[in-house]
Amino acid sequence: MKFNPVTPEIVATLQQIVGEAYVLTAATPEEVKRYAHDETEDLHYYPEVVVKPVNTQEVSQIARLCHEQYIPLTPRGAGTGLSGGALPVHGGVVLSMERFNKIIQIDERNLQATVEPGVVNEEFQNAVKAKGLFYPPDPASKGSCFLGGNLSMSSGGPKAVKYGVTRDYVLNMEVVLPTGEIIWTGANVLKYSTGYNLTHLMIGSEGTLGIITKIVFKLIPFPPKNVVMLVPFRSSEEACAAVAQIFMAGITPSGLEFMEREALQWSSDYLKIDVPLPEDIESHLIIELDGWDLDLLYQDAERVYGVLEQFNTGEVLLADTEAQKEDIWRLRRNVGNAVRYNSIYKEEDTVVPRAELPALLKGVKEIGQRYNFKSVCYGHAGDGNLHINIIKGDMSDEDWNNKLTEGIKELFRLCVALGGTISGEHGIGLVQKPYMHIALQEKQFELMRGIKKTFDPHGILNPGKIFEMA
Amino acid sequence: MKFNPVTPEIVATLQQIVGEAYVLTAATPEEVKRYAHDETEDLHYYPEVVVKPVNTQEVSQIARLCHEQYIPLTPRGAGTGLSGGALPVHGGVVLSMERFNKIIQIDERNLQATVEPGVVNEEFQNAVKAKGLFYPPDPASKGSCFLGGNLSMSSGGPKAVKYGVTRDYVLNMEVVLPTGEIIWTGANVLKYSTGYNLTHLMIGSEGTLGIITKIVFKLIPFPPKNVVMLVPFRSSEEACAAVAQIFMAGITPSGLEFMEREALQWSSDYLKIDVPLPEDIESHLIIELDGWDLDLLYQDAERVYGVLEQFNTGEVLLADTEAQKEDIWRLRRNVGNAVRYNSIYKEEDTVVPRAELPALLKGVKEIGQRYNFKSVCYGHAGDGNLHINIIKGDMSDEDWNNKLTEGIKELFRLCVALGGTISGEHGIGLVQKPYMHIALQEKQFELMRGIKKTFDPHGILNPGKIFEMA
């Protein structure tokens, strides 16, 4: 793909479209720098220009301009991504959606909400909760990530195990195509059998098919009661094995998270929250049950205890207070930050059928021994979604950049052999692209390329992501 | 699109692929006739040949042959469709999936099942229920429809209101592309962010993008308890208004169905099941609650009664026995059959945000008065999905075939104006195609055509469905 540079004339046109105050150029390098990276490793790619439109018409004009001039256009949410999806690897224009920050309507009659894509996930959750409603998808970065970015990756989070991922809450969206046309992808309805499902095609397409400018979400009633347990295991493989057993007992927790000893240890140090961590404990599960009736939840908790009896666990902590529950969840949500604080790392977002988790974890450690890397594992065990943080520590740059790649390939081959795949919720973006051929055959790439060309004939939108075009 | 006829040489090749016993031709017209229609009105289109493959390799060989020879290839499930999706409108080959009838595996460790697409919905439901598991999507035709057909339309059914539609239970599928290549669309996992979601693109594509040969479903624990109520209303609009109120009270029923007086009357006559039907009753709601604890369900039922108090209802029937529950559901499931028994009819599968149902119903009746048609309405009110059966009765053929079309267009324009669309679960197929421009703009058609060409460059697979190619 051959692109053109951003000329002074194009900058001037962009300024006309959005106003001078909302165009950043190399004249203010410190401001541009913010848009050169996301939360993926230590990667930096500088855009030639950053624009901050405020409405759909402006986005449409920008897209048409970039389409006509063959200029790369990379949409950007909050920049919390972990696969480099928002990095402008071919330069060009970064389209920041930060001014699309309005909750347009919360429709209590229909249990729906219409929002702009730059609304922060947690702000949206709080706004609907104030009306007794629930928007469950809650990535660890919920305090800062944008809903539009969540759609682009179909983000999950701890609640996904009971309530599903972002995909399951999107009814309809307004999208600006790379050619500048504006469409709605569906209708504001719970069931839709009216042609190819463009809504579901857009979700998870990582900003390569269109720019989301409005989203209609489905909401559900907020379940007011919950019970949270922290369960220590003497064997990590047993912890993983317990996960499937809980579901097989007919229980559907609203959270079922796994943390290796070091994940909890590092997060506890990072947050300065004290957790008892006896020497013989290899890992923990967080188990949350939610619903409308506390007695019933305690009955379910008893059934969980029944399942746990067959495993070698330490003393279960049943959170007594809301503060204690919040501490447990903060510990979980901050594992990523704590790992980042400790070392350069690569995070692999593996996912397998949940009963294959023990085999996956065992394989990870065995591969780590052979390739001489250390890993800290945690994640949404109820979904079979294990985040494997590979720690650079004192590994040489040579080994980190080259030899490690082979180890990661082995990891992903194991996932696929177990019926899984290489990303459950973080997406492929830039950094997982080299591994895509492990999960997909050439024919699937061919179909994806054809879809991409249909939406984006000049290939300008977020180029260089997910798969190679040629 | 220019297609070639099926020559004797091609019949011979098809016989070589699947065996002579599994190829039907004009030599046995009575046998071929079965494959010339589905449950859509009184439409008949004859295929030149019917083939019944038994495995993926055979399907692949048939597809490649039709691709190379430019012969229309129409996949067919059980033929229970209501939009003409399985009708071979361009002749050619009908590919019957009736021999793909094996449940390959029910994986109790992972709460998953792998099946062939020709398994009957209810047989699958029963097989997983025997293991304590639940596959919720249950179209009215569940006793005969195939799972592959359910995927092609993303079928719903009464349980969708709580548990979602077919789409929500598909993890992965094996698909033969129109060019003969075989792919898997995803992985056997609950979360998937690994490139464009081909699984979700295939679901609801009505057999125009590929032929499903294996399906991996997600299952959930079977909720063993339920409560079923039949609630008579003196005003149909009030019945529809009550639907949204129940959800706004924080209750999520496992069934919330609406039936106009005549829908229930006709079904009751058809099944010879006696139902009290006082003269002042305009319509009924069926409300089902399910879960794990009967006391809790009765508490929820009390909350439903609380909501109903503000409406002018007759005496609520709370089903006492399993037999009575089954009778209520049989009455609902047989409305379609009863209407078909009474008259030629057209069924429109309208869907709107659920709080707009009263406006939709009022509009339907007003449009019917202006265009002089009678309608019997019923459907999945909890989803905002209203089936409008337009009765031919003594309408002239001229009015039925021409004037009525304008009335249907008005109906669909009303749906779209209310935030809805023209099909919630039956699909577009052949008979709704003329109305698609009411729901979609030219640009969406252009995207769909591009996707179709990527998958099916010769346009052979189920041609003439959903939208026009040129």
Side-chain angles (χ1 to χ4, degrees):
Chain A
M1 203 58 73
K2 186 103 170 51
F3 297 115
N4 289 324
V6 177
T7 62
E9 290 72 32
I10 285 170
V11 171
T13 308
L14 291 170
Q15 286 170 336
Q16 278 168 21
I17 295 171
V18 300
E20 273 187 45
Y22 300 110
V23 177
L24 306 179
T25 65
T28 53
E30 278 309 304
E31 287 187 66
V32 172
K33 192 178 175 183
R34 272 189 56 211
Y35 300 88
H37 65 91
D38 59 9
E39 296 290 338
T40 312
E41 303 173 26
D42 51 349
L43 299 176
H44 284 76
Y45 289 88
Y46 282 80
E48 292 161 78
V49 59
V50 177
V51 288
K52 305 179 185 180
V54 75
N55 62 43
T56 306
Q57 286 304 326
E58 289 181 5
V59 173
S60 166
Q61 290 175 60
I62 296 164
R64 186 168 296 121
L65 177 70
C66 291
H67 169 72
E68 285 168 359
Q69 302 294 328
Y70 290 79
I71 290 170
L73 177 63
T74 302
R76 180 185 175 92
T80 57
L82 297 167
S83 61
L87 299 175
V89 293
H90 288 276
V93 177
V94 158
L95 185 82
S96 172
M97 298 302 281
E98 64 199 75
R99 294 170 70 206
F100 278 76
N101 58 3
K102 284 186 285 300
I103 296 175
I104 298 169
Q105 190 200 16
I106 298 173
D107 176 355
E108 293 173 81
R109 292 166 64 241
N110 284 304
L111 275 57
Q112 296 183 3
T114 306
V115 305
E116 292 186 334
V119 173
V120 169
N121 177 297
E122 193 168 34
E123 287 174 15
F124 180 54
Q125 290 201 5
N126 290 340
V128 304
K129 189 178 172 186
K131 295 176 187 293
L133 298 174
F134 189 28
Y135 173 72
D138 59 343
S141 57
K142 66 178 181 179
S144 54
C145 64
F146 288 175
L147 291 166
N150 295 171
L151 258 75
S152 298
M153 299 303 180
S154 191
S155 303
K159 298 282 182 199
V161 64
K162 178 169 179 180
Y163 293 104
V165 295
T166 304
R167 177 181 299 285
D168 301 303
Y169 291 85
V170 181
L171 300 180
N172 197 4
M173 56 183 120
E174 184 189 66
V175 168
V176 174
L177 297 169
T179 43
E181 286 120 323
I182 302 161
I183 63 166
W184 282 90
T185 56
N188 300 355
V189 291
L190 296 166
K191 300 160 98 172
Y192 187 86
S193 295
T194 308
Y196 301 160
N197 201 304
L198 300 179
T199 307
H200 277 287
L201 181 57
M202 278 295 306
I203 300 168
S205 66
E206 307 196 15
T208 67
L209 297 180
I211 302 146
I212 302 164
T213 47
K214 288 192 190 76
I215 310 163
V216 182
F217 283 115
K218 166 177 107 169
L219 303 170
I220 58 176
F222 191 91
K225 312 286 186 194
N226 60 61
V227 168
V228 178
M229 291 177 251
L230 185 65
V231 188
F233 284 79
R234 297 199 172 83
S235 147
S236 290
E237 272 181 68
E238 278 208 356
C240 288
V243 171
Q245 292 291 328
I246 289 168
F247 287 88
M248 287 166 72
I251 301 155
T252 305
S254 55
L256 214 180
E257 297 288 316
F258 170 79
M259 287 184 288
E260 276 195 309
R261 179 187 183 88
E262 266 183 319
L264 185 58
Q265 178 75 66
W266 288 10
S267 190
S268 150
D269 292 348
Y270 176 77
L271 292 173
K272 305 192 178 22
I273 295 178
D274 224 27
V275 187
L277 206 56
E279 271 189 20
D280 61 342
I281 296 305
E282 269 195 8
S283 63
H284 285 77
L285 293 182
I286 300 173
I287 305 172
E288 184 192 87
L289 306 166
D290 77 356
W292 296 76
D293 185 279
L294 207 51
D295 290 341
L296 202 67
L297 293 181
Y298 283 122
Q299 285 173 32
D300 280 351
E302 286 298 327
R303 291 166 66 208
V304 172
Y305 284 126
V307 173
L308 295 175
E309 266 171 19
Q310 61 190 296
F311 299 100
N312 188 1
T313 62
E315 196 180 343
V316 176
L317 171 69
L318 183 67
D320 276 329
T321 63
E322 291 307 308
Q324 208 171 21
K325 289 175 188 173
E326 181 51 28
D327 272 357
I328 291 173
W329 278 117
R330 278 183 67 213
L331 285 164
R332 166 60 190 84
R333 277 202 305 276
N334 281 280
V335 174
N337 292 331
V339 170
R340 197 172 301 128
Y341 178 80
N342 271 274
S343 168
I344 291 178
Y345 73 109
K346 287 185 199 285
E347 177 158 350
E348 309 305 339
D349 175 35
T350 61
V351 59
V352 294
R354 77 166 77 87
E356 316 309 333
L357 270 180
L360 176 60
L361 189 71
K362 190 176 169 189
V364 169
K365 297 304 173 185
E366 186 272 321
I367 293 166
Q369 279 187 341
R370 275 195 288 118
Y371 286 85
N372 202 25
F373 66 76
K374 176 182 159 73
S375 63
V376 177
C377 298
Y378 65 103
H380 314 300
D383 294 317
N385 186 195
L386 190 71
H387 297 322
I388 303 168
N389 281 336
I390 301 173
I391 307 300
K392 182 158 187 287
D394 51 9
M395 195 185 292
S396 73
D397 285 353
E398 165 63 21
D399 281 359
W400 179 251
N401 291 319
N402 300 316
K403 194 176 153 197
L404 182 57
T405 305
E406 290 307 309
I408 296 173
K409 283 185 187 164
E410 277 212 41
L411 268 184
F412 285 147
R413 275 187 220 113
L414 175 62
C415 289
V416 171
L418 292 170
T421 189
I422 73 171
S423 179
E425 56 177 19
H426 293 173
I428 300 306
L430 177 68
V431 298
Q432 306 300 15
K433 206 172 60 166
Y435 308 109
M436 275 288 267
H437 65 279
I438 295 171
L440 303 183
Q441 310 150 249
E442 178 52 28
K443 186 67 197 180
Q444 285 116 318
F445 288 115
E446 199 184 294
L447 295 174
M448 290 184 195
R449 281 187 208 112
I451 294 166
K452 170 73 174 171
K453 276 183 194 154
T454 295
F455 280 71
D456 185 12
H458 294 179
I460 56 150
L461 196 65
N462 206 2
K465 303 297 166 61
I466 311 182
F467 49 82
E468 294 298 337
M469 279 306 288
Chain B
M1 201 59 76
K2 187 101 172 54
F3 296 115
N4 289 323
V6 176
T7 61
E9 290 73 30
I10 286 171
V11 171
T13 309
L14 291 170
Q15 286 171 335
Q16 278 168 22
I17 296 171
V18 299
E20 272 187 47
Y22 300 109
V23 177
L24 307 178
T25 66
T28 54
E30 277 310 304
E31 286 188 68
V32 172
K33 192 179 176 184
R34 271 189 57 211
Y35 299 88
H37 65 93
D38 59 9
E39 295 290 337
T40 312
E41 302 173 27
D42 50 349
L43 299 175
H44 284 76
Y45 289 87
Y46 282 79
E48 292 161 75
V49 59
V50 178
V51 288
K52 306 180 184 180
V54 75
N55 61 43
T56 306
Q57 286 305 325
E58 288 182 5
V59 173
S60 167
Q61 289 176 61
I62 295 164
R64 185 168 295 118
L65 178 70
C66 290
H67 169 72
E68 285 168 359
Q69 302 294 328
Y70 289 80
I71 289 170
L73 177 64
T74 302
R76 181 186 174 92
T80 57
L82 296 167
S83 62
L87 300 175
V89 293
H90 288 277
V93 176
V94 158
L95 185 82
S96 172
M97 298 302 281
E98 65 199 76
R99 294 170 70 207
F100 278 75
N101 58 2
K102 284 186 284 302
I103 296 173
I104 298 168
Q105 189 200 18
I106 298 173
D107 175 356
E108 294 173 82
R109 291 167 65 242
N110 284 303
L111 275 56
Q112 295 183 1
T114 305
V115 305
E116 292 186 335
V119 172
V120 170
N121 177 298
E122 193 168 33
E123 287 175 15
F124 180 54
Q125 290 201 5
N126 291 340
V128 303
K129 189 178 171 186
K131 296 176 186 293
L133 298 175
F134 189 27
Y135 173 72
D138 59 342
S141 56
K142 67 179 181 179
S144 53
C145 64
F146 288 175
L147 292 167
N150 296 171
L151 258 76
S152 298
M153 299 303 180
S154 190
S155 304
K159 298 282 184 199
V161 65
K162 179 170 179 179
Y163 293 103
V165 296
T166 305
R167 177 180 300 285
D168 301 303
Y169 291 85
V170 181
L171 299 179
N172 197 5
M173 56 183 120
E174 184 190 66
V175 169
V176 174
L177 296 169
T179 43
E181 284 120 324
I182 302 162
I183 63 166
W184 282 89
T185 57
N188 301 354
V189 290
L190 295 166
K191 300 160 97 172
Y192 187 86
S193 295
T194 308
Y196 300 160
N197 201 305
L198 301 177
T199 306
H200 277 286
L201 181 58
M202 278 296 305
I203 299 168
S205 66
E206 307 195 15
T208 67
L209 296 180
I211 302 146
I212 303 162
T213 46
K214 287 192 191 76
I215 310 162
V216 182
F217 283 115
K218 167 179 107 169
L219 304 170
I220 58 176
F222 191 91
K225 311 286 185 194
N226 61 59
V227 168
V228 178
M229 293 177 249
L230 185 64
V231 188
F233 284 78
R234 297 199 173 83
S235 149
S236 291
E237 272 181 69
E238 278 209 357
C240 288
V243 171
Q245 292 291 328
I246 289 167
F247 286 88
M248 287 165 73
I251 302 155
T252 303
S254 55
L256 214 180
E257 297 288 317
F258 169 79
M259 288 185 287
E260 275 196 308
R261 181 186 182 89
E262 265 184 321
L264 185 58
Q265 178 76 65
W266 288 10
S267 190
S268 151
D269 292 349
Y270 176 77
L271 292 173
K272 302 190 178 30
I273 296 178
D274 224 25
V275 188
L277 205 54
E279 272 188 21
D280 62 342
I281 295 304
E282 269 194 9
S283 63
H284 285 77
L285 292 182
I286 300 173
I287 305 171
E288 184 191 87
L289 306 166
D290 77 354
W292 297 76
D293 184 277
L294 207 51
D295 290 339
L296 202 67
L297 293 181
Y298 283 123
Q299 284 173 34
D300 280 350
E302 285 299 327
R303 290 166 67 208
V304 171
Y305 285 127
V307 173
L308 295 175
E309 266 171 18
Q310 60 190 296
F311 298 99
N312 188 1
T313 62
E315 196 180 345
V316 177
L317 172 69
L318 182 68
D320 276 331
T321 61
E322 291 307 307
Q324 210 171 17
K325 290 176 189 173
E326 181 51 29
D327 273 356
I328 292 173
W329 278 116
R330 279 183 66 213
L331 285 164
R332 166 62 189 84
R333 277 203 304 276
N334 281 280
V335 174
N337 292 332
V339 170
R340 196 173 301 127
Y341 178 79
N342 272 273
S343 169
I344 290 178
Y345 73 109
K346 287 186 200 284
E347 178 158 351
E348 308 305 339
D349 175 35
T350 62
V351 60
V352 293
R354 77 167 76 87
E356 316 309 333
L357 270 180
L360 176 60
L361 190 71
K362 191 177 168 190
V364 169
K365 298 303 171 184
E366 187 271 322
I367 293 166
Q369 278 187 343
R370 275 195 286 119
Y371 285 86
N372 203 24
F373 66 76
K374 177 183 157 79
S375 62
V376 177
C377 298
Y378 65 101
H380 313 301
D383 294 318
N385 187 196
L386 190 73
H387 297 322
I388 303 168
N389 281 336
I390 301 173
I391 307 301
K392 183 158 188 284
D394 51 10
M395 195 185 292
S396 74
D397 285 353
E398 165 62 20
D399 282 358
W400 179 249
N401 291 320
N402 300 317
K403 195 176 152 197
L404 181 59
T405 305
E406 290 307 309
I408 295 173
K409 282 184 187 165
E410 278 213 42
L411 269 183
F412 285 147
R413 275 187 221 115
L414 174 63
C415 289
V416 171
L418 292 170
T421 191
I422 72 172
S423 179
E425 57 177 20
H426 294 174
I428 302 305
L430 177 69
V431 299
Q432 307 300 16
K433 206 172 59 163
Y435 307 108
M436 274 287 266
H437 64 279
I438 295 172
L440 302 183
Q441 311 150 248
E442 179 52 29
K443 186 66 197 181
Q444 285 116 317
F445 288 116
E446 200 184 294
L447 296 174
M448 290 183 195
R449 281 186 207 113
I451 293 166
K452 170 74 174 172
K453 275 183 194 154
T454 295
F455 280 73
D456 185 12
H458 293 179
I460 57 148
L461 196 66
N462 206 1
K465 302 297 167 60
I466 311 182
F467 50 82
E468 294 298 339
M469 278 307 286

